[in-house]
Amino acid sequence: MNTNKIKIAYTKRMKQILWFIALFPQFLLAIQPVKWQAQWIMHPEVEPQSYAVVLFRKNFNLNSKPDSFIIHVSADNHYRLFVNGKYVLRGPARGDLSHWFYETIDIADFLRSGKNIIAAEVINWGPKRSFSYFSQMTSFILQGNSSKEEVINTSAGSWKCFHNKAIYPKIVDWMFDRTTINSGLYLGNPTDSVRGEKYPWGWETLDYNDADWELAKWADVAGERGTQYAGGILYSAGKLLVSRRVPILKETPVPFQKIGRVSGIEKEEGFIKGTHPLTISSHRKVSLLIDQTHLTVGYPEMLVSGGKGARIQITYAENLLLNREVKGNRDEIDGKYMVGIKDVFIPDGGKNRLFKPTYLRAFRFIQLDIETENEPLVIEKYEHVECRSPLELKAKFSADNDLVNWIMEAGWRTISLCAQDYLMSDAYYEQLQYVGDSRVHNLALFTLSGDNRLTRNALLQFDQSRISEGLTLACYPNAFYLIIPSYSLIWIDQIYDYMMWRDDKAFISQFELGIQNVLYWFEQRMQPNGLIGKMEWWGALAWPRHYQNGEPPTIYEGNNTLYTLHYAYTLRHAAAIFEFLGEKEKADGVIDGRTRFVSQ
């Protein structure tokens, strides 16, 4: 017997056991439902569905610094949480009103003995919000995990709030006007315009004076207590809270790479490298083009001092344009111009004022167009805080070919950046979780990472999107109604992919009824000649040049070969899934063309 092999196996097993013990408290938190006592709270004067940035604060005292202090937190649409002036996390993960996510986190490391402050910035991007966000009303909820943490529970009159009117929405009008940019249907959130003189600087810190802030009220349009409980689960006028399914996003400060060109000032890169600030004298107009050298996603942060009344416009783009039709080589910038989404920040002249976008920015290039007034402006520091899901690259491939290696590196960067709290189809424009796009995304994640958390979440969300006819929505979460029937077939194909990677009957079995309903929808459109007949909804299937809007030429007339072939392809996958689940009769029925299972 090889004692060395036994020793190695024993050591690995002990490491696994110790790892599980270390994570056991978090494991218990994940499986135990929260017994909600806190209330959704809102500002007493903010319109529930309008664009608004609302700040919430609560002071509380602790006899000693705790070893643990676990909280559960969520908001509508989005929150950033601070404890004693320190940024903690943002959320919630994107869901819908029937699956509204909350985060669970231990904030003990941020607390101290004596007086403490917990604060949150809550933003509702209003009617022009991203299609990936649902909203009921601008509101916030936070609850301690046990009696020792209940001092911070949100309830009417126990938290203070402030309507931060320093931040205005900049609406991006790219939804229907594609002449504005050479490519792009922008479906993200409005960008930001911030007036520094109106901003309550230091609002998240312990020393800030909130005497003139208002008391928060229960989050109910009628002003009554709008929170109910059913079986220990909290819902508020139709919004059901469920625990976050995907990992908390990782935010990492990353220096900008280089400045590509400047005008109105000497080229200086110290402020993007963190070595020394950049001073722009009064009554100057300058422009600086920052090139990150690759696409990235996150929250660029600019720290400035002075410069009262200066106008700082920040434009983000994934490429520069030679003309409206040509992007060309992104490494070549001469003669090209910037077209992109914009933020505007007007400082108040104070020291160390931080501008950070309220929502993700995707870019390779950032252009700063700055115009100062009577005071010089000092940019103390400008850095990018990259944001992505904490995925680990576990599989590698390399070759004696620079192009192949570059493709692998760029491919991993793309799928990891677009892995946020959902599988983002493209980072800059639509920013939605499409069924068709996510199949490619998931296969790449399985191969290169092996992490299936975002895959499981996507499969569940597509299932939860299904309409009464049985079809899934084409992308989800989204608050608008987009149905592409072929994407419902791709959802089944993705379940098959997951089955091939994971021996997980319990998870896959919950999709059985949905699979049947999708197949039955297509069966109803089969003609006696064996081809699918007239198609409803958007019949997009592929994008060759002779198709219009991705639709085969006769999609609304019938006899569509490509749709029929896809249906046959998916039937094979469905039969394999039923076979895997031990449903032999259903598997045989799929092969025989009998998909009416609902009554069986």
Side-chain angles (χ1 to χ4, degrees):
M1 182 177 294
N2 191 324
T3 56
N4 287 332
K5 287 185 177 180
I6 294 175
K7 183 177 181 181
I8 292 171
Y10 174 79
T11 302
K12 287 183 177 179
R13 187 60 176 167
M14 285 303 299
K15 287 182 178 179
Q16 292 171 350
I17 293 171
L18 291 172
W19 176 83
F20 178 77
I21 292 172
L23 292 181
F24 190 67
Q26 289 86 345
F27 173 74
L28 287 178
L29 283 173
I31 62 174
Q32 291 183 348
V34 176
K35 296 181 179 180
W36 290 95
Q37 301 297 324
Q39 310 293 323
W40 283 96
I41 58 174
M42 66 188 298
H43 192 282
E45 297 174 3
V46 169
E47 290 294 323
Q49 283 283 338
S50 66
Y51 178 95
V53 179
V54 179
L55 309 177
F56 294 92
R57 282 172 53 96
K58 181 175 178 63
N59 291 300
F60 61 101
N61 287 287
L62 295 173
N63 294 328
S64 61
K65 179 178 172 58
D67 294 328
S68 69
F69 200 94
I70 297 166
I71 63 170
H72 314 286
V73 56
S74 188
D76 181 348
N77 297 158
H78 186 74
Y79 71 84
R80 287 197 300 154
L81 187 71
F82 300 83
V83 177
N84 290 326
K86 302 293 185 181
Y87 168 69
V88 179
L89 84 162
R90 65 176 66 249
R94 267 166 271 215
D96 57 33
L97 295 181
S98 299
H99 311 88
W100 199 274
F101 294 113
Y102 64 87
E103 281 73 39
T104 298
I105 190 168
D106 190 340
I107 60 171
D109 289 344
F110 298 90
L111 298 173
R112 64 188 71 164
S113 175
K115 191 175 181 181
N116 291 266
I117 178 73
I118 188 166
E121 175 191 73
V122 174
I123 182 167
N124 188 325
W125 285 286
K128 295 290 186 178
R129 71 178 64 86
S130 164
F131 283 10
S132 65
Y133 277 99
F134 286 80
S135 179
Q136 184 192 52
M137 61 184 73
T138 310
S139 51
F140 178 65
I141 189 167
L142 187 148
Q143 175 168 304
N145 189 56
S146 66
S147 57
K148 76 173 184 178
E149 299 108 343
E150 66 183 6
V151 64
I152 49 81
N153 287 7
T154 52
S155 61
S158 68
W159 281 63
K160 286 193 167 185
C161 61
F162 177 79
H163 186 187
N164 188 4
K165 298 180 180 179
I167 305 178
Y168 304 81
K170 285 181 63 63
I171 306 302
V172 182
D173 293 323
W174 292 356
M175 182 170 175
F176 300 111
D177 181 12
R178 292 201 178 204
T179 62
T180 304
I181 190 168
N182 69 309
S183 64
L185 175 67
Y186 180 80
L187 299 177
N189 287 308
T191 54
D192 304 320
S193 180
V194 180
R195 298 194 65 91
E197 78 276 7
K198 294 184 178 181
Y199 196 92
W201 299 105
W203 66 273
E204 73 278 22
T205 63
L206 193 60
D207 296 332
Y208 181 82
N209 183 1
D210 60 10
D212 60 346
W213 283 33
E214 299 189 62
L215 293 176
K217 74 166 189 174
W218 280 306
D220 184 77
V221 177
E224 301 296 332
R225 180 168 175 160
T227 305
Q228 300 85 31
Y229 298 86
I233 300 175
L234 175 69
Y235 67 97
S236 177
K239 194 154 55 182
L240 187 68
L241 279 165
V242 295
S243 181
R244 182 186 182 104
R245 299 188 192 118
V246 295
I248 290 175
L249 298 177
K250 181 180 180 181
E251 298 182 46
T252 307
V254 177
F256 289 112
Q257 294 297 306
K258 64 180 181 179
I259 294 179
R261 65 187 180 210
V262 300
S263 64
I265 195 172
E266 293 294 321
K267 185 175 180 179
E268 173 55 64
E269 295 185 336
F271 76 105
I272 65 170
K273 301 295 186 182
T275 57
H276 52 274
L278 174 68
T279 299
I280 303 172
S281 58
S282 59
H283 302 292
R284 294 290 297 274
K285 188 174 182 179
V286 306
S287 180
L288 305 97
L289 180 70
I290 298 173
D291 182 358
Q292 190 65 351
T293 71
H294 57 264
L295 187 76
T296 185
V297 177
Y299 300 88
E301 293 186 349
M302 180 181 292
L303 189 68
V304 307
S305 296
K308 183 176 181 179
R311 187 178 191 275
I312 305 171
Q313 178 176 279
I314 309 166
T315 306
Y316 311 88
E318 49 95 19
N319 61 273
L320 302 180
L321 299 180
L322 187 61
N323 55 52
R324 289 193 182 276
E325 301 300 327
V326 178
K327 297 180 182 180
N329 187 336
R330 285 169 169 80
D331 292 335
E332 299 171 357
I333 65 174
D334 291 343
K336 293 184 179 181
Y337 62 95
M338 168 77 81
V339 176
I341 60 174
K342 301 175 178 66
D343 292 321
V344 174
F345 176 42
I346 300 177
D348 68 326
K351 188 171 179 59
N352 292 331
R353 301 310 202 199
L354 179 66
F355 170 78
K356 185 172 186 175
T358 59
Y359 182 65
L360 288 169
R361 300 289 180 256
F363 63 91
R364 168 173 170 168
F365 298 97
I366 291 181
Q367 184 165 301
L368 304 179
D369 293 299
I370 302 171
E371 193 168 352
T372 58
E373 293 193 346
N374 297 326
E375 289 184 7
L377 172 72
V378 180
I379 303 180
E380 306 283 359
K381 188 177 182 181
Y382 193 34
E383 70 177 352
H384 175 49
V385 180
E386 187 182 76
C387 182
R388 63 172 82 189
S389 185
L391 302 175
E392 182 182 351
L393 177 61
K394 294 181 178 179
K396 294 183 179 180
F397 174 84
S398 61
D400 294 329
N401 185 301
D402 291 341
L403 178 60
V404 170
N405 294 333
W406 176 85
I407 290 173
M408 291 299 298
E409 187 274 331
W412 171 250
R413 184 173 65 246
T414 300
I415 65 169
S416 60
L417 283 173
C418 288
Q420 296 290 323
D421 52 19
Y422 67 134
L423 296 172
M424 194 160 54
S425 64
D426 70 85
Y428 191 85
Y429 295 104
E430 297 187 41
Q431 305 173 2
L432 298 171
Q433 182 173 254
Y434 277 95
V435 179
D437 303 63
S438 66
R439 188 184 186 196
V440 179
H441 204 159
N442 282 323
L443 288 171
L445 284 177
F446 275 133
T447 304
L448 298 178
S449 176
D451 195 311
N452 64 11
R453 290 172 291 182
L454 285 160
T455 302
R456 291 166 64 93
N457 181 65
L459 292 176
L460 286 166
Q461 290 189 317
F462 297 146
D463 186 39
Q464 291 158 358
S465 78
R466 287 187 299 109
I467 64 172
S468 58
E469 293 181 36
L471 294 178
T472 67
L473 296 187
C475 50
Y476 207 73
N478 75 67
F480 74 110
Y481 220 68
L482 176 62
I483 295 175
I484 303 175
S486 66
Y487 278 28
S488 295
L489 296 176
I490 295 174
W491 171 64
I492 299 174
D493 299 334
Q494 287 200 67
I495 297 171
Y496 172 82
D497 294 339
Y498 182 86
M499 179 190 74
M500 297 300 289
W501 281 88
R502 292 286 186 270
D503 182 11
D504 194 348
K505 289 185 179 180
F507 180 74
I508 294 172
S509 64
Q510 64 190 306
F511 304 122
E512 187 175 337
L513 181 59
I515 293 171
Q516 295 170 187
N517 287 337
V518 169
L519 297 180
Y520 183 64
W521 188 92
F522 279 90
E523 183 184 332
Q524 296 307 295
R525 284 145 186 85
M526 290 295 292
Q527 302 175 125
N529 64 2
L531 296 175
I532 288 181
K534 295 180 181 180
M535 188 70 64
E536 297 91 18
W537 304 104
W538 183 17
L541 190 61
W543 299 93
R545 291 184 179 180
H546 65 285
Y547 281 17
Q548 290 188 353
N549 297 320
E551 300 167 338
T554 60
I555 189 68
Y556 302 116
E557 300 172 15
N559 295 327
N560 189 270
T561 304
L562 279 182
Y563 251 103
T564 305
L565 290 172
H566 191 174
Y567 179 47
Y569 170 78
T570 302
L571 284 174
R572 289 178 176 271
H573 287 165
I577 293 169
F578 291 136
E579 187 82 29
F580 174 72
L581 295 176
E583 301 281 357
K584 183 73 166 56
E585 184 178 351
K586 291 182 179 179
D588 293 341
V590 168
I591 296 299
D592 294 340
R594 294 178 286 105
T595 59
R596 297 184 181 90
F597 306 124
V598 177
S599 61
Q600 294 182 10

